Each structure stands twice: as structure tokens, then as C-alpha cells.
Amino acid sequence: MIKQAIIPLAGLGTRLLPLTSVFAKELLPINGKPGLEYIIEECIEAGITEIIFIISKKKMMIKNYFYNDKFYKNLIKKKNDSRIITEYNKILKYKKMIKFVYQNDPKGTGDAVLKTKKLIKDKYFLMLLPDDLIVKKNCSKSMIVAHNKYKASVMASMTVSKKTTSRWGIYKLNKKLNKTDFLIKGVVEKPSSKEAPSNKAVIGRYILPKSIFKKLEKTMPSKGGEIHITDAIQSLINDNEKFVAHNFLGKYLDCGTMSGYINSSKEISKL
Ligand code: G1P
């Protein structure tokens, strides 16, 4: 059973400057709702009961969003507005599920994952990268189905244009398991189109084994000076850990860039 999810939220969000100079990108509204709430809802619908947020001192705004009880209570006392009460109850529901850990130095996704080591209880856990929204079909839910079926770690996958491989982690495929799932023999972080072993990209949903922490402790910074989860995954694969790439069926929205962020509101408003 996958019951815990982790969400790295300590990134600086430089691709969304100037907004992110004062604002946490994960709280920016997408069609009237913080992007992060879409991610939380995906988790809840997939059966997750605890979510670990990896934030930094600079991103305290995220914790404050869920811990603003005094403000809501005073307002409700004064106004008794049913919309405010509904919103506050939603925030309270989320708050009960969330734990916080800190990554004050943004040293990469691998380093962020390592910060959750002490809190992970089961053999596998889910990770969601908040820049990647997947709508229409719950990607985490179908990945959990694949995980149970293959008794393996799972990562979301999408076919991308060969020209854009340097934007993504790219899979080395082993064999097709069925229409949507592939066994992989490796993954490379952001290769040039010349070096890319395929045009299947890693999208930000991962079911990872607890054994990844041992690997992360030894993983050195690589591309861009960051500690990449991709490198720790490759190391696990070298030790024969089974990893499956799952071609999800939902619609992918890239909220980590300005054009993608603008487009995501438009797309969600059409749903
Ligand atoms: C991260 C991962 C990359 C993956 C991507 C998906 O990159 O390192 O492997 O393909 O998320 O969005 P980032 O977006 O942080 O540069």
C-alpha cells in the first residue's frame, strides 16, 4: 500500500521570475486555485493519507497558507460567510495530512528527497513534482495500480519531441510490458538530443523504494551542480531494482515555465 507522498517545494522557481521573487510558485493560482491544491487533491484521490512537504525558510509562505487559523477564525466570527467556512474546512482537512521538513539550501531534487528519510515508514512512497500538473485522469492512482501489478518502482512517462530531450530525464528502455508500461534499464538527466537514448521523458510522478535513501547519501552532484534523483535511480537499477515507466493517460500541463503556467489556467478552465 502506498500511503505517504512527498512534494519538493524548496525550489527557487527562477523560470517564473519576477513572480517568484516574492511569491511561492506553488501557491500561484491556476484557474483560481493554487497549483499545489491540485497536487494535494490528486494525492487524496489516490488514497494517500500523509503528505510530506519539503520547504525552505524562504518558502514559509506555504506553511502559513495552511496555518492561518487565527485569521480564519476571527473572520468567520465576524462574517459567518459560508464560502469562507467551506474554504477554511478544506484547508483544515489538508493541514491534518501535511508534515513539513526543510531544505534550506536548494541542492536538487535528490537532496530534497533525502530530507524525508526519517519520516518514510513503508517500503515504497510516492513523489510528486508540483511543476507538473496532470489533469483529466489521476496519474498517481494509475501508477499505484501499475506498482501493485508489477511489484516495482514506477515513474510517469511521456513521449516528447527529440529536440526537447535536454529539458527532461530520458529513459533507456528495456522492454514493453503492455500498452502503457515499459520496463526500463536506465535514465539519464537532461541529455542533448544527440545523446538521448529515447524520446520518452520522465514526468514528475515517482513511486520510489525506501532503499533510495542509501543511494542518495552517496549520490554526488552532477548536471548543473545539483544532486539528481535520476542518478540515484540509475544506481538502484544497476543493483537490479525493477523500475517501470508508465505512460499516463491524463493531460500534462507544465506549470514551471511562464508560457506553460499561463496555458495551464486556460486548459483547466475548459475542463
Ligand atoms: C525534474 C527532473 C527531470 C524530469 C522533470 C519533469 O527536472 O529532474 O528528470 O524530467 O523534473 O518535470 P526539473 O523540472 O526540476 O528541471
Side-chain angles (χ1 to χ4, degrees), residues 15 129 132 167-169 189-190 202-204 206 228 230 252:
R15 288 182 288 208
L129 301 185
D132 296 347
R167 158 73 184 87
W168 317 94
E189 185 64 17
K190 303 190 172 83
V202 179
I203 299 300
Y206 307 70
H228 291 287
T230 321
Y252 168 68

Side-chain angles (χ1 to χ4, degrees), residues 172-209:
K172 289 183 203 163
L173 301 175
N174 185 343
K175 66 172 184 195
K176 199 171 176 166
L177 298 168
N178 71 19
K179 246 187 179 172
T180 54
D181 303 317
F182 300 81
L183 194 63
I184 62 161
K185 60 179 171 200
V187 61
V188 198
E189 185 64 17
K190 303 190 172 83
S192 68
S193 51
K194 262 194 189 154
E195 291 160 339
S198 76
N199 62 344
K200 297 260 185 275
V202 179
I203 299 300
R205 302 288 182 276
Y206 307 70
I207 292 177
L208 297 169

Side-chain angles (χ1 to χ4, degrees), residues 11 22 33 46 72 95 116 125 158 163 167 169 215 233 268:
V22 293
K33 189 164 84 178
Y72 278 108
K95 179 183 162 183
T116 67
F125 60 97
M158 183 175 83
K163 278 183 274 174
R167 158 73 184 87
K215 293 293 181 193
I233 291 169
I268 290 184

Side-chain angles (χ1 to χ4, degrees), residues 32-78:
K33 189 164 84 178
L36 186 54
E37 287 195 20
Y38 292 93
I39 303 275
I40 297 173
E41 281 164 17
E42 179 178 330
C43 287
I44 294 174
E45 213 187 286
I48 295 297
T49 54
E50 184 177 282
I51 309 177
I52 301 162
F53 282 5
I54 304 129
I55 62 168
S56 67
K57 280 184 193 148
K58 286 188 191 135
K59 306 282 285 279
M60 279 312 278
M61 181 187 274
I62 294 175
K63 188 165 184 186
N64 296 342
Y65 184 76
F66 297 95
Y67 279 76
N68 216 352
D69 302 74
K70 227 180 176 179
F71 167 80
Y72 278 108
K73 281 180 183 161
N74 282 339
L75 207 58
I76 290 167
K77 222 188 249 169
K78 268 190 219 147

